[in-house]
Amino acid sequence: MSTDAHRPASRPTSRISDLLPPAADTETPAGTAAPAGTAGAAGAAAEVPAVETTARLRPVQDSEPAVERTTRLRPARGDAPAPARPVPPIPASRPARPLPPVPSAPPVPSAPPVPSAPPAPPAPLAPPRPEQSYGTYGAYAHRTSTAPPETLVETTTRLRPIRERRVGRVVAAGVCLVLGLGLVGGAVAGAVLAATDAGGPTEPEGYAEARTLWHSVPVDTLFPRTLAGPGTGPGAADRTWTRVVVAPDAPCSATVLPKSLLTALQPLGCERVLRATYTDATATSVITVGLVFTQADPTATRELAVRSSAAIGADAPPALSAPGTVAARFGAAQRASWWTRALTDLPVVLTSVSGFADGRPVTRPEPAEQAMAAGQTSAPAQAGLGHEAKGVADRIERGLRATVTEAAKDPE
């Protein structure tokens, strides 16, 4: 009977002997004597105690003595499991020798526990780091500190490379800026100095020459014998005026000047007054025109020119009559319309007054601006006396400016 009948159908593979190939069956069949030496071998084998330290799932049968040599109970940490060495079978021809006891594998020593490191003592507080200067940090160097000294490391990350500074461009830009400021400052300083030296705004061209025209220019130049006025009448009708009489120059007084204009000129200084009387081609209207020369400076002249007509032309100028002429009956009662204008660039004020040549009195005289307005039905407006006064004054002003221009070109 074979010993295989005593073996279980399934056997755990935890025993190393199960992994070995089956050895030759040395048992003697029933009724057959065992060869010599076999019993001794079996007895010797039976005397060997079975030592097994491998964990088993079930106990080993007593009828199956087996010797299992295990080199390692379990793999060491980090090592692959070592293969078990097979036990060679005992040859049958040799007498069985008692097997020495199989020493058990020494237990794998476990790693000693790593002692935990004692907690590190708290580091001493570092001295405060200065914010502005590294020299301040040096004041803390003499203090004892276990912490390593701080190292100044720049960790700023730049997004783009720094442009190379070009000294030439910077210097050129600075020079241009300085030159520009110098030019502007020089221009301003020159203007201020010029105004200071002149005592005010510079005089317009011919301003000084105009002061002396009243005695240095012939009367026919200032008051031509004939004045042409194309388009100066009502409805753009042409006009022509002829000089009737010229008065000698006179000082500024209420006899030759209206009251409002005389009051305005007294603070400025009134030099002289020139007057002449003209008549139209039909001899139905007469016009007295005057030139008033002042001693005002350019600033005062401009201020006088911007005043309203109520300040310098509120009253009609006196009329100049001449016996034996069409202007013989031209007096204060015959004044119908007047015009007053102060020039802005010359020290001269122009005045003119018109009326009827037949001596007809006018109860309500009107300024030329009002008499020339559309829709006026008064006698001066319908007779065109406003146009007559303004037209003669405009022609005298043109001649005066032409004379001043010539005098400025040839002062001698």
PDB file of all heavy atoms in Angstrom, residues 325-349:
ATOM      1  N   THR A 325     -22.794 182.887 -48.281  1.00  0.00           N
ATOM      2  CA  THR A 325     -22.703 181.542 -48.849  1.00  0.00           C
ATOM      3  C   THR A 325     -23.997 180.788 -48.550  1.00  0.00           C
ATOM      4  O   THR A 325     -24.876 181.276 -47.842  1.00  0.00           O
ATOM      5  CB  THR A 325     -21.517 180.763 -48.265  1.00  0.00           C
ATOM      6  OG1 THR A 325     -21.714 180.601 -46.869  1.00  0.00           O
ATOM      7  CG2 THR A 325     -20.197 181.529 -48.511  1.00  0.00           C
ATOM      8  N   VAL A 326     -24.068 179.586 -49.079  1.00  0.00           N
ATOM      9  CA  VAL A 326     -25.258 178.770 -48.815  1.00  0.00           C
ATOM     10  C   VAL A 326     -25.359 178.396 -47.349  1.00  0.00           C
ATOM     11  O   VAL A 326     -26.411 177.940 -46.891  1.00  0.00           O
ATOM     12  CB  VAL A 326     -25.269 177.512 -49.688  1.00  0.00           C
ATOM     13  CG1 VAL A 326     -25.401 177.876 -51.166  1.00  0.00           C
ATOM     14  CG2 VAL A 326     -23.997 176.690 -49.465  1.00  0.00           C
ATOM     15  N   ALA A 327     -24.232 178.568 -46.606  1.00  0.00           N
ATOM     16  CA  ALA A 327     -24.224 178.234 -45.183  1.00  0.00           C
ATOM     17  C   ALA A 327     -24.453 179.466 -44.315  1.00  0.00           C
ATOM     18  O   ALA A 327     -24.188 179.426 -43.116  1.00  0.00           O
ATOM     19  CB  ALA A 327     -22.900 177.592 -44.813  1.00  0.00           C
ATOM     20  N   ALA A 328     -24.969 180.557 -44.912  1.00  0.00           N
ATOM     21  CA  ALA A 328     -25.162 181.794 -44.144  1.00  0.00           C
ATOM     22  C   ALA A 328     -26.202 181.620 -43.048  1.00  0.00           C
ATOM     23  O   ALA A 328     -26.097 182.219 -41.976  1.00  0.00           O
ATOM     24  CB  ALA A 328     -25.557 182.932 -45.085  1.00  0.00           C
ATOM     25  N   ARG A 329     -27.219 180.814 -43.265  1.00  0.00           N
ATOM     26  CA  ARG A 329     -28.289 180.649 -42.267  1.00  0.00           C
ATOM     27  C   ARG A 329     -28.174 179.320 -41.500  1.00  0.00           C
ATOM     28  O   ARG A 329     -29.127 178.853 -40.910  1.00  0.00           O
ATOM     29  CB  ARG A 329     -29.656 180.713 -42.945  1.00  0.00           C
ATOM     30  CG  ARG A 329     -29.977 182.106 -43.480  1.00  0.00           C
ATOM     31  CD  ARG A 329     -31.345 182.129 -44.104  1.00  0.00           C
ATOM     32  NE  ARG A 329     -31.364 181.402 -45.380  1.00  0.00           N
ATOM     33  CZ  ARG A 329     -32.480 181.294 -46.140  1.00  0.00           C
ATOM     34  NH1 ARG A 329     -33.622 181.819 -45.743  1.00  0.00           N
ATOM     35  NH2 ARG A 329     -32.419 180.652 -47.302  1.00  0.00           N
ATOM     36  N   PHE A 330     -26.951 178.743 -41.556  1.00  0.00           N
ATOM     37  CA  PHE A 330     -26.752 177.476 -40.860  1.00  0.00           C
ATOM     38  C   PHE A 330     -26.295 177.794 -39.436  1.00  0.00           C
ATOM     39  O   PHE A 330     -25.154 178.232 -39.204  1.00  0.00           O
ATOM     40  CB  PHE A 330     -25.707 176.630 -41.595  1.00  0.00           C
ATOM     41  CG  PHE A 330     -25.499 175.240 -41.021  1.00  0.00           C
ATOM     42  CD1 PHE A 330     -26.552 174.469 -40.547  1.00  0.00           C
ATOM     43  CD2 PHE A 330     -24.212 174.698 -40.948  1.00  0.00           C
ATOM     44  CE1 PHE A 330     -26.338 173.214 -40.030  1.00  0.00           C
ATOM     45  CE2 PHE A 330     -24.001 173.424 -40.445  1.00  0.00           C
ATOM     46  CZ  PHE A 330     -25.075 172.667 -39.973  1.00  0.00           C
ATOM     47  N   GLY A 331     -27.210 177.550 -38.470  1.00  0.00           N
ATOM     48  CA  GLY A 331     -26.894 177.853 -37.074  1.00  0.00           C
ATOM     49  C   GLY A 331     -27.271 176.683 -36.169  1.00  0.00           C
ATOM     50  O   GLY A 331     -27.479 175.530 -36.607  1.00  0.00           O
ATOM     51  N   ALA A 332     -27.362 176.964 -34.898  1.00  0.00           N
ATOM     52  CA  ALA A 332     -27.627 175.918 -33.922  1.00  0.00           C
ATOM     53  C   ALA A 332     -29.016 175.326 -34.096  1.00  0.00           C
ATOM     54  O   ALA A 332     -29.218 174.121 -33.894  1.00  0.00           O
ATOM     55  CB  ALA A 332     -27.461 176.488 -32.508  1.00  0.00           C
ATOM     56  N   ALA A 333     -30.003 176.146 -34.506  1.00  0.00           N
ATOM     57  CA  ALA A 333     -31.373 175.642 -34.674  1.00  0.00           C
ATOM     58  C   ALA A 333     -31.518 174.775 -35.912  1.00  0.00           C
ATOM     59  O   ALA A 333     -32.477 174.008 -36.031  1.00  0.00           O
ATOM     60  CB  ALA A 333     -32.351 176.804 -34.725  1.00  0.00           C
ATOM     61  N   GLN A 334     -30.630 174.913 -36.872  1.00  0.00           N
ATOM     62  CA  GLN A 334     -30.724 174.148 -38.114  1.00  0.00           C
ATOM     63  C   GLN A 334     -29.964 172.806 -38.053  1.00  0.00           C
ATOM     64  O   GLN A 334     -29.958 172.085 -39.057  1.00  0.00           O
ATOM     65  CB  GLN A 334     -30.192 174.993 -39.273  1.00  0.00           C
ATOM     66  CG  GLN A 334     -31.113 176.104 -39.714  1.00  0.00           C
ATOM     67  CD  GLN A 334     -31.145 177.248 -38.717  1.00  0.00           C
ATOM     68  OE1 GLN A 334     -30.118 177.577 -38.099  1.00  0.00           O
ATOM     69  NE2 GLN A 334     -32.323 177.867 -38.546  1.00  0.00           N
ATOM     70  N   ARG A 335     -29.344 172.472 -36.962  1.00  0.00           N
ATOM     71  CA  ARG A 335     -28.605 171.195 -36.865  1.00  0.00           C
ATOM     72  C   ARG A 335     -29.616 170.044 -36.822  1.00  0.00           C
ATOM     73  O   ARG A 335     -30.501 170.017 -35.962  1.00  0.00           O
ATOM     74  CB  ARG A 335     -27.729 171.180 -35.611  1.00  0.00           C
ATOM     75  CG  ARG A 335     -26.590 172.193 -35.664  1.00  0.00           C
ATOM     76  CD  ARG A 335     -25.788 172.165 -34.381  1.00  0.00           C
ATOM     77  NE  ARG A 335     -26.585 172.515 -33.221  1.00  0.00           N
ATOM     78  CZ  ARG A 335     -26.130 172.542 -31.959  1.00  0.00           C
ATOM     79  NH1 ARG A 335     -24.856 172.255 -31.733  1.00  0.00           N
ATOM     80  NH2 ARG A 335     -26.936 172.871 -30.973  1.00  0.00           N
ATOM     81  N   ALA A 336     -29.476 169.112 -37.760  1.00  0.00           N
ATOM     82  CA  ALA A 336     -30.446 168.030 -37.897  1.00  0.00           C
ATOM     83  C   ALA A 336     -29.859 166.673 -37.515  1.00  0.00           C
ATOM     84  O   ALA A 336     -30.528 165.847 -36.883  1.00  0.00           O
ATOM     85  CB  ALA A 336     -30.983 167.974 -39.314  1.00  0.00           C
ATOM     86  N   SER A 337     -28.599 166.355 -37.907  1.00  0.00           N
ATOM     87  CA  SER A 337     -27.983 165.046 -37.630  1.00  0.00           C
ATOM     88  C   SER A 337     -26.474 165.240 -37.451  1.00  0.00           C
ATOM     89  O   SER A 337     -25.880 166.122 -38.080  1.00  0.00           O
ATOM     90  CB  SER A 337     -28.278 164.066 -38.759  1.00  0.00           C
ATOM     91  OG  SER A 337     -27.760 162.790 -38.457  1.00  0.00           O
ATOM     92  N   TRP A 338     -25.855 164.423 -36.612  1.00  0.00           N
ATOM     93  CA  TRP A 338     -24.420 164.567 -36.371  1.00  0.00           C
ATOM     94  C   TRP A 338     -23.735 163.209 -36.238  1.00  0.00           C
ATOM     95  O   TRP A 338     -24.361 162.186 -36.017  1.00  0.00           O
ATOM     96  CB  TRP A 338     -24.179 165.424 -35.121  1.00  0.00           C
ATOM     97  CG  TRP A 338     -24.490 164.731 -33.815  1.00  0.00           C
ATOM     98  CD1 TRP A 338     -23.659 164.019 -33.028  1.00  0.00           C
ATOM     99  CD2 TRP A 338     -25.751 164.688 -33.164  1.00  0.00           C
ATOM    100  NE1 TRP A 338     -24.299 163.524 -31.924  1.00  0.00           N
ATOM    101  CE2 TRP A 338     -25.601 163.936 -31.981  1.00  0.00           C
ATOM    102  CE3 TRP A 338     -27.044 165.225 -33.460  1.00  0.00           C
ATOM    103  CZ2 TRP A 338     -26.633 163.698 -31.097  1.00  0.00           C
ATOM    104  CZ3 TRP A 338     -28.063 164.990 -32.575  1.00  0.00           C
ATOM    105  CH2 TRP A 338     -27.863 164.222 -31.398  1.00  0.00           C
ATOM    106  N   TRP A 339     -22.406 163.231 -36.351  1.00  0.00           N
ATOM    107  CA  TRP A 339     -21.552 162.034 -36.288  1.00  0.00           C
ATOM    108  C   TRP A 339     -20.280 162.391 -35.525  1.00  0.00           C
ATOM    109  O   TRP A 339     -19.637 163.398 -35.821  1.00  0.00           O
ATOM    110  CB  TRP A 339     -21.207 161.562 -37.699  1.00  0.00           C
ATOM    111  CG  TRP A 339     -20.190 160.449 -37.774  1.00  0.00           C
ATOM    112  CD1 TRP A 339     -18.844 160.576 -37.913  1.00  0.00           C
ATOM    113  CD2 TRP A 339     -20.437 159.056 -37.723  1.00  0.00           C
ATOM    114  NE1 TRP A 339     -18.233 159.365 -37.967  1.00  0.00           N
ATOM    115  CE2 TRP A 339     -19.212 158.386 -37.846  1.00  0.00           C
ATOM    116  CE3 TRP A 339     -21.609 158.290 -37.592  1.00  0.00           C
ATOM    117  CZ2 TRP A 339     -19.084 157.019 -37.849  1.00  0.00           C
ATOM    118  CZ3 TRP A 339     -21.477 156.922 -37.589  1.00  0.00           C
ATOM    119  CH2 TRP A 339     -20.228 156.288 -37.703  1.00  0.00           C
ATOM    120  N   THR A 340     -19.874 161.569 -34.524  1.00  0.00           N
ATOM    121  CA  THR A 340     -18.656 161.767 -33.731  1.00  0.00           C
ATOM    122  C   THR A 340     -17.911 160.442 -33.658  1.00  0.00           C
ATOM    123  O   THR A 340     -18.497 159.399 -33.321  1.00  0.00           O
ATOM    124  CB  THR A 340     -18.981 162.260 -32.311  1.00  0.00           C
ATOM    125  OG1 THR A 340     -19.755 163.460 -32.395  1.00  0.00           O
ATOM    126  CG2 THR A 340     -17.704 162.515 -31.522  1.00  0.00           C
ATOM    127  N   ARG A 341     -16.591 160.519 -33.935  1.00  0.00           N
ATOM    128  CA  ARG A 341     -15.790 159.290 -33.925  1.00  0.00           C
ATOM    129  C   ARG A 341     -14.378 159.610 -33.459  1.00  0.00           C
ATOM    130  O   ARG A 341     -13.734 160.519 -34.002  1.00  0.00           O
ATOM    131  CB  ARG A 341     -15.746 158.652 -35.309  1.00  0.00           C
ATOM    132  CG  ARG A 341     -14.909 157.384 -35.359  1.00  0.00           C
ATOM    133  CD  ARG A 341     -14.876 156.797 -36.743  1.00  0.00           C
ATOM    134  NE  ARG A 341     -14.075 155.577 -36.794  1.00  0.00           N
ATOM    135  CZ  ARG A 341     -13.797 154.929 -37.916  1.00  0.00           C
ATOM    136  NH1 ARG A 341     -14.281 155.378 -39.076  1.00  0.00           N
ATOM    137  NH2 ARG A 341     -13.071 153.830 -37.883  1.00  0.00           N
ATOM    138  N   ALA A 342     -13.870 158.849 -32.459  1.00  0.00           N
ATOM    139  CA  ALA A 342     -12.489 158.960 -31.987  1.00  0.00           C
ATOM    140  C   ALA A 342     -11.662 157.857 -32.632  1.00  0.00           C
ATOM    141  O   ALA A 342     -12.022 156.670 -32.551  1.00  0.00           O
ATOM    142  CB  ALA A 342     -12.436 158.854 -30.469  1.00  0.00           C
ATOM    143  N   LEU A 343     -10.551 158.221 -33.270  1.00  0.00           N
ATOM    144  CA  LEU A 343      -9.685 157.237 -33.932  1.00  0.00           C
ATOM    145  C   LEU A 343      -8.890 156.467 -32.885  1.00  0.00           C
ATOM    146  O   LEU A 343      -8.481 157.006 -31.844  1.00  0.00           O
ATOM    147  CB  LEU A 343      -8.743 157.935 -34.908  1.00  0.00           C
ATOM    148  CG  LEU A 343      -9.425 158.801 -35.974  1.00  0.00           C
ATOM    149  CD1 LEU A 343      -8.383 159.394 -36.907  1.00  0.00           C
ATOM    150  CD2 LEU A 343     -10.449 157.986 -36.744  1.00  0.00           C
ATOM    151  N   THR A 344      -8.652 155.190 -33.151  1.00  0.00           N
ATOM    152  CA  THR A 344      -7.941 154.325 -32.192  1.00  0.00           C
ATOM    153  C   THR A 344      -6.428 154.394 -32.343  1.00  0.00           C
ATOM    154  O   THR A 344      -5.699 154.105 -31.377  1.00  0.00           O
ATOM    155  CB  THR A 344      -8.385 152.865 -32.376  1.00  0.00           C
ATOM    156  OG1 THR A 344      -8.118 152.448 -33.715  1.00  0.00           O
ATOM    157  CG2 THR A 344      -9.871 152.723 -32.081  1.00  0.00           C
ATOM    158  N   ASP A 345      -5.916 154.753 -33.519  1.00  0.00           N
ATOM    159  CA  ASP A 345      -4.479 154.739 -33.761  1.00  0.00           C
ATOM    160  C   ASP A 345      -3.883 156.117 -34.007  1.00  0.00           C
ATOM    161  O   ASP A 345      -2.692 156.243 -34.261  1.00  0.00           O
ATOM    162  CB  ASP A 345      -4.163 153.844 -34.959  1.00  0.00           C
ATOM    163  CG  ASP A 345      -4.948 154.242 -36.187  1.00  0.00           C
ATOM    164  OD1 ASP A 345      -5.922 155.019 -36.068  1.00  0.00           O
ATOM    165  OD2 ASP A 345      -4.610 153.773 -37.293  1.00  0.00           O
ATOM    166  N   LEU A 346      -4.710 157.166 -33.910  1.00  0.00           N
ATOM    167  CA  LEU A 346      -4.226 158.523 -34.078  1.00  0.00           C
ATOM    168  C   LEU A 346      -4.861 159.405 -33.001  1.00  0.00           C
ATOM    169  O   LEU A 346      -6.025 159.210 -32.644  1.00  0.00           O
ATOM    170  CB  LEU A 346      -4.578 159.069 -35.462  1.00  0.00           C
ATOM    171  CG  LEU A 346      -3.938 158.362 -36.674  1.00  0.00           C
ATOM    172  CD1 LEU A 346      -4.456 158.952 -37.964  1.00  0.00           C
ATOM    173  CD2 LEU A 346      -2.421 158.408 -36.615  1.00  0.00           C
ATOM    174  N   PRO A 347      -4.150 160.421 -32.528  1.00  0.00           N
ATOM    175  CA  PRO A 347      -4.712 161.306 -31.495  1.00  0.00           C
ATOM    176  C   PRO A 347      -5.640 162.365 -32.091  1.00  0.00           C
ATOM    177  O   PRO A 347      -5.443 163.579 -31.897  1.00  0.00           O
ATOM    178  CB  PRO A 347      -3.467 161.925 -30.861  1.00  0.00           C
ATOM    179  CG  PRO A 347      -2.468 161.961 -31.953  1.00  0.00           C
ATOM    180  CD  PRO A 347      -2.729 160.745 -32.800  1.00  0.00           C
ATOM    181  N   VAL A 348      -6.666 161.867 -32.766  1.00  0.00           N
ATOM    182  CA  VAL A 348      -7.576 162.766 -33.481  1.00  0.00           C
ATOM    183  C   VAL A 348      -8.997 162.291 -33.267  1.00  0.00           C
ATOM    184  O   VAL A 348      -9.260 161.081 -33.255  1.00  0.00           O
ATOM    185  CB  VAL A 348      -7.249 162.826 -34.990  1.00  0.00           C
ATOM    186  CG1 VAL A 348      -8.231 163.737 -35.719  1.00  0.00           C
ATOM    187  CG2 VAL A 348      -5.818 163.295 -35.215  1.00  0.00           C
ATOM    188  N   VAL A 349      -9.925 163.247 -33.114  1.00  0.00           N
ATOM    189  CA  VAL A 349     -11.352 162.953 -33.018  1.00  0.00           C
ATOM    190  C   VAL A 349     -12.041 163.697 -34.145  1.00  0.00           C
ATOM    191  O   VAL A 349     -11.811 164.901 -34.357  1.00  0.00           O
ATOM    192  CB  VAL A 349     -11.925 163.384 -31.657  1.00  0.00           C
ATOM    193  CG1 VAL A 349     -13.431 163.088 -31.602  1.00  0.00           C
ATOM    194  CG2 VAL A 349     -11.197 162.672 -30.524  1.00  0.00           C
TER     195      VAL A 349
END
